[in-house]
Amino acid sequence: MIVRGGRTSGANGASPELAGLADTVLQPGFVGVEVPDWLRRRLAEGLGGVALYSRNLVDSEQIKALTAALRAENPDVVIATDEEAGDVTRLEARTGSSRPGNLALGAVDDPALTERVAREIGLDLAAAGITLNYAPVVDVNSDLDNPVVGTRAFGADPRLVARHARAWVTGLQSAGVAACAKHFPGHGATAVDSHDDLPTVAYSAEELAATTLPPYRAAVEAGVRAVMTGHLLVPAYDPDHPATMSGRILAGLLREELGFDGLIVTDGVEMPSVAERYGVTGAAVRALAAGADAICVGGERKGPGVVGFMRNAIMGAVADGTLPEERLADAAARVRRLAAWSAERRRAAGETGPAGEPAGLDAARRALRVRGGGLPLPAAPQVIEFVSETNIAVDRATPWGVAAPLAALLPGTTALRLGSGDPVPPPDGRPLVIVVRDAHRHAWVTDRLGALLSRRPDAIVVEMGLPGPATPGATHITTHGATAASGRAAAELLSGRRGT
């Protein structure tokens, strides 16, 4: 046996206390809608967090049973998910979100409405047993070609994003669920998706202070309990290390300059932008050493082996001096502090549900923007929906579009869904509705849209993604998102009818 500092250690130099610290900072995912045996064992041994994805979530009763089973093994476990609402939804991945996302809320620009929507999300999450929500996105969408932010951002104006970040954090946390502003220090000024490769934010420190940082300052002032790091290279602060692994950015900028004292959680360390450079375990150790407190993993890498490898790597890094044990202990303490805060706030909030009518559909209706006339439609239309690629954060199974809700309001509506390889049939003589999503980002969509409009200039175009610089069509409707609520709001406008 080896004795260090008065503690008894095993042959590998790791004490049970050290193993417990390493377990506490991990937030892995898993496969299935019930708790697998390996995860039950890990939780009983002290695993501090679990991340839930749409693959784990079916309906409210199943989610409640799942989170109760997790807490039965570890009452203090942090249960996290990324319920942004909008296009990135986990609770409603199978139906589409009943609430519009950030871009729609920014278009309305009513912070009281944003706070109300976020509180409703928080109440749903609290009722489901969720502790931590990896939201809101507070990136400033300053690059129209950004492949990962888009409708997830409140907009391109730092002041607008800041006031809605404040409102969203306040609303969510009033329900006793911790908010997590992301992706620090700002993913909006990039044209690379950090799920795939490492983007570079080319702004100077002065430009960062004026553009990407105001929403984080607002979130911190609002008392946000967590901030998620972005896998971003920000040479103005650190030319050598991604933000997730940069002490200058996490300890210097976020902790010291912005005064944030809550939980710093990483974006998924299995993402190629960091995993291909450092390995999953190397990324985790470097993030902890730089100042991160919790390691999110399990979106793409999940299963019992990942947790064991990561715990062993963290303990090994402490043993070889790469990761000071004091830094690991501080990280674990912050995880426990967040869990205690959520438990206390949820007890104080009780079982109160949302007051009044749900805000989602009202927000979606208010977010619609229309140019041109010809509404409502004179008859049931033909709808052509172009299905373009979305980023990995959007669940591929989540339904979207206008055709289904429009058919419910205007019987006789017909629909075609077309991908890049599908031929476009000639439109018939009925009213034509063309539905697109981020059309300006996909040349094939732009080309086919132009060809259709040359034949049918009277067609109505519905943009359900990020609006581009042009608004084609004699009548153009912008929904600012592809949620179920946004689709229904657009269908109501097109039909001149409201459903029950």
Side-chain angles (χ1 to χ4, degrees):
M1 304 292 285
I2 301 171
V3 178
R4 284 206 183 114
R7 297 183 312 177
T8 302
S9 300
N12 63 357
S15 69
E17 292 85 355
L18 179 57
L21 294 176
D23 274 332
T24 298
V25 301
L26 298 177
Q27 295 182 356
F30 64 96
V31 177
V33 296
E34 296 181 345
V35 184
D37 289 342
W38 71 265
L39 184 54
R40 290 183 185 274
R41 291 193 298 270
R42 290 292 188 184
L43 287 166
E45 293 171 2
L47 182 65
V50 175
L52 302 180
Y53 298 87
S54 53
R55 64 176 180 248
N56 307 121
L57 309 175
V58 179
D59 55 40
S60 59
E61 292 308 311
Q62 176 268 333
I63 300 170
K64 289 178 185 177
L66 177 63
T67 58
L70 293 169
R71 284 201 171 85
E73 303 298 335
N74 180 358
D76 298 321
V77 64
V78 172
I79 303 175
T81 194
D82 52 341
E83 179 55 45
E84 298 175 13
D87 294 344
V88 179
T89 176
R90 303 307 177 218
L91 296 184
E92 298 182 289
R94 288 167 169 77
T95 60
S97 178
S98 58
R99 304 173 180 100
N102 286 359
L103 189 65
L105 295 173
V108 177
D109 196 13
D110 179 351
L113 177 66
T114 295
E115 183 175 341
R116 183 180 165 200
V117 168
R119 175 170 170 79
E120 289 182 4
I121 295 168
L123 290 168
D124 284 352
L125 290 168
I130 306 295
T131 309
L132 169 64
N133 189 13
Y134 298 143
V137 170
V138 300
D139 300 322
V140 178
N141 198 37
S142 49
D143 189 334
L144 274 179
D145 290 326
N146 190 302
V148 68
V149 178
T151 61
R152 302 166 70 195
F154 290 110
D157 179 349
R159 293 170 297 179
L160 179 145
V161 177
R163 61 178 170 265
H164 288 276
R166 185 190 305 272
W168 214 98
V169 167
T170 300
L172 185 84
Q173 294 191 164
S174 70
V177 175
C180 180
K182 64 184 184 185
H183 308 81
F184 187 80
H187 204 323
T190 69
V192 174
D193 186 344
S194 61
H195 290 91
D196 302 321
D197 204 349
L198 184 64
T200 296
V201 179
Y203 285 177
S204 67
E206 293 74 19
E207 288 171 325
L208 289 168
T211 56
T212 71
L213 295 183
Y216 290 98
R217 291 188 185 277
V220 171
E221 291 168 1
V224 70
R225 304 302 302 187
V227 169
M228 177 174 280
T229 67
H231 299 329
L232 310 161
L233 193 65
V234 189
Y237 279 93
D238 191 333
D240 302 315
H241 305 97
T244 299
M245 292 133 205
S246 172
R248 297 178 194 174
I249 292 175
L250 301 188
L253 177 58
L254 183 53
R255 291 275 189 228
E256 296 174 15
E257 185 175 331
L258 299 190
F260 178 64
D261 192 42
L263 185 80
I264 299 177
V265 59
T266 70
D267 207 344
V269 292
E270 75 275 16
M271 290 162 56
S273 51
V274 292
E276 289 183 357
R277 288 166 172 80
Y278 309 102
V280 174
T281 56
V285 167
R286 285 171 170 80
L288 289 167
D293 306 307
I295 305 299
C296 173
V297 64
E300 302 304 313
R301 292 282 294 274
K302 55 268 184 185
V306 173
V307 178
F309 290 145
M310 296 186 75
R311 181 177 72 167
N312 291 342
I314 293 167
M315 292 189 295
V318 172
D320 67 21
T322 304
L323 173 62
E325 187 167 352
E326 294 76 11
R327 168 79 273 275
L328 181 60
D330 174 65
R334 292 179 189 275
V335 173
R336 294 178 184 129
R337 191 185 312 163
L338 183 138
W341 173 89
S342 181
E344 189 277 329
R345 291 295 295 267
R346 289 168 64 195
R347 282 194 298 269
E351 298 297 326
T352 305
E357 289 296 315
L361 185 55
D362 175 54
R365 288 166 176 159
R366 292 173 63 184
L368 294 177
R369 298 293 180 268
V370 184
R371 194 210 65 234
L375 297 174
L377 294 167
Q382 178 186 23
V383 180
I384 297 177
E385 297 179 332
F386 288 117
V387 183
S388 52
E389 184 180 355
T390 59
N391 68 74
I392 196 171
V394 179
D395 193 299
R396 301 293 189 270
T398 301
W400 69 280
V402 171
L406 185 57
L409 296 174
L410 280 182
T413 296
T414 61
L416 288 172
R417 300 206 107 186
L418 304 176
S420 59
D422 297 323
V424 181
D428 57 30
R430 292 177 298 154
L432 178 61
V433 177
I434 308 169
V435 184
V436 294
R437 196 172 182 180
D438 298 335
H440 71 280
R441 292 194 59 247
H442 304 281
W444 72 269
V445 175
T446 302
D447 291 346
R448 292 180 180 211
L449 177 59
L452 273 174
L453 289 174
S454 69
R455 301 170 68 175
R456 287 290 303 273
D458 62 324
I460 297 170
V461 177
V462 182
E463 172 60 81
M464 299 195 77
L466 182 71
T471 54
T475 302
H476 187 100
I477 301 171
T478 304
T479 65
H480 299 98
T483 71
S486 300
R488 178 175 167 183
E492 291 177 347
L493 180 65
L494 289 162
S495 66
R497 304 175 184 178
R498 288 196 174 184
T500 56

